[in-house]
């Protein structure tokens, strides 16, 4: 791929053809990633080290932590961010290969339809991620986790585990749900903006 294609691709990703799309890029790329990268590490970075059960033994702690966290929240949210970026990245790669200018995307029906489809895919992926987050993490992190240690042949099948900084994690969970909802709203608003531009209610850029 030539440098011009790379430049067109990067410009397309950073400067989508709609105003709301540009705001979505700013929100997604700056606020959401910063929140996850910086605050997420501060809240979840040492969770496994401070997760303790009764009896406080390494094998019990590891077993129960893996049961408590089938996937760590940081990994889940990082995967969510990457996967949600894929539809837009494919579109802008296609536009770069076809030498489609950003201002022309909303002028031709086929380009507009393709772009709307990529936005719709983002919505679907965000909704799926929202549902998976509920299944994996719920809406609240409790201070006590009851772990089934029957597989370790312990005297008692259920043991109590202390979850560190559970209140901070609950706040962080709610924040990530909120970010997902805001992103979906922005995507819906972007489709609405495109429709208004196509119908002539708004001037194209």
């Amino acid at each position: 791929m030539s440098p011009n294609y790379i430049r067109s691709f990067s410009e397309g990703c950073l400067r989508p053809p709609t105003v709301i799309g540009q705001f979505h890029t700013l929100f997604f790329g700056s606020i959401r990633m910063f929140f996850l990268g910086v605050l997420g590490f501060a809240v979840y970075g040492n969770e496994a080290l401070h997760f303790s059960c009764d009896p406080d033994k390494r094998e019990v702690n590891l077993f129960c932590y893996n049961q408590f966290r089938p996937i760590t929240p940081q990994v889940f949210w990082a995967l969510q961010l990457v996967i949600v970026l894929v539809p837009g990245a494919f579109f802008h790669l296609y536009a770069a290969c076809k030498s489609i200018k950003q201002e022309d995307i909303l002028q031709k029906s086929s380009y507009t339809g393709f772009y709307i489809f990529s936005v719709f895919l983002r919505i679907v992926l965000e909704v799926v991620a929202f549902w998976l987050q509920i299944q994996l993490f719920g809406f609240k992190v409790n201070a006590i986790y009851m772990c089934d240690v029957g597989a370790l042949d312990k005297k008692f099948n259920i043991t109590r585990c202390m979850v560190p900084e559970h209140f901070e994690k609950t706040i962080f969970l709610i924040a990530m749900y909120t970010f997902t909802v805001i992103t979906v709203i922005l995507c819906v608003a972007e489709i609405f903006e495109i429709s208004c531009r196509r119908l002539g209610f708004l001037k194209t850029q």
Side-chain angles (χ1 to χ4, degrees), residues 120-193:
F120 179 75
L121 276 182
R122 289 207 308 260
I123 295 174
V124 172
L125 292 172
E126 289 282 14
V127 171
V128 171
F130 189 91
W131 179 81
L132 286 175
Q133 183 175 335
I134 293 174
Q135 302 303 310
L136 290 169
F137 311 124
F139 290 95
K140 181 181 179 181
V141 179
N142 296 316
I144 303 296
Y145 174 71
M146 305 305 294
C147 175
D148 183 359
V149 292
L152 292 178
D153 295 327
K154 296 299 177 182
K155 184 177 180 180
F156 300 103
N157 289 336
I158 303 297
T159 187
R160 291 160 54 92
C161 299
M162 299 293 294
V163 180
E165 301 170 342
H166 63 96
F167 184 68
E168 291 182 11
K169 292 179 174 64
T170 298
I171 295 175
F172 202 90
L173 271 178
I174 299 302
M176 295 307 293
Y177 281 121
T178 303
F179 286 148
T180 301
V181 171
I182 292 174
T183 303
V184 170
I185 292 174
L186 288 175
C187 290
V188 172
E190 185 174 8
I191 293 176
F192 180 76
E193 179 188 346

Side-chain angles (χ1 to χ4, degrees), residues 5 11 13 28 90 99 158 172 192:
Y5 288 154
E11 289 178 354
C13 292
F28 195 100
F90 270 119
S99 300
I158 303 297
F172 202 90
F192 180 76

Side-chain angles (χ1 to χ4, degrees), residues 3-203:
N4 289 335
Y5 288 154
I6 297 175
R7 189 182 307 110
S8 298
F9 173 72
S10 60
E11 289 178 354
C13 292
L14 296 175
R15 191 176 60 86
T18 62
V19 174
I20 295 177
Q22 294 172 17
F23 181 77
H24 171 268
T25 300
L26 174 66
F27 174 80
F28 195 100
S30 301
I31 302 176
R32 195 173 179 182
M33 289 186 178
F34 175 83
F35 192 87
L36 176 59
V38 177
L39 297 183
F41 178 79
V43 173
Y44 290 96
N46 296 320
E47 183 181 46
L49 296 177
H50 298 294
F51 187 88
S52 61
C53 302
D54 183 22
D56 189 9
K57 295 182 178 179
R58 186 173 184 274
E59 61 172 350
V60 176
N61 292 342
L62 287 175
F63 180 85
C64 290
Y65 183 74
N66 289 334
Q67 188 179 119
F68 175 65
R69 293 289 192 210
I71 180 173
T72 59
Q74 308 102 301
V75 172
F76 175 83
W77 289 320
L79 286 173
Q80 177 186 356
L81 295 181
V82 171
I83 291 172
V84 169
L85 287 173
V86 168
F90 270 119
F91 173 82
H92 293 299
L93 181 62
Y94 167 80
C97 292
K98 294 291 185 180
S99 300
I100 302 171
K101 297 181 180 179
Q102 291 298 303
E103 54 269 21
D104 295 336
I105 292 174
L106 301 183
Q107 301 296 325
K108 192 171 181 180
S109 298
S110 59
Y111 299 158
T112 304
F114 192 8
Y115 184 75
I116 290 177
F117 180 71
S118 71
V119 176
F120 179 75
L121 276 182
R122 289 207 308 260
I123 295 174
V124 172
L125 292 172
E126 289 282 14
V127 171
V128 171
F130 189 91
W131 179 81
L132 286 175
Q133 183 175 335
I134 293 174
Q135 302 303 310
L136 290 169
F137 311 124
F139 290 95
K140 181 181 179 181
V141 179
N142 296 316
I144 303 296
Y145 174 71
M146 305 305 294
C147 175
D148 183 359
V149 292
L152 292 178
D153 295 327
K154 296 299 177 182
K155 184 177 180 180
F156 300 103
N157 289 336
I158 303 297
T159 187
R160 291 160 54 92
C161 299
M162 299 293 294
V163 180
E165 301 170 342
H166 63 96
F167 184 68
E168 291 182 11
K169 292 179 174 64
T170 298
I171 295 175
F172 202 90
L173 271 178
I174 299 302
M176 295 307 293
Y177 281 121
T178 303
F179 286 148
T180 301
V181 171
I182 292 174
T183 303
V184 170
I185 292 174
L186 288 175
C187 290
V188 172
E190 185 174 8
I191 293 176
F192 180 76
E193 179 188 346
I194 294 171
S195 300
C196 288
R197 290 185 184 278
R198 293 290 299 178
L199 294 173
F201 295 117
L202 294 173
K203 293 182 179 179

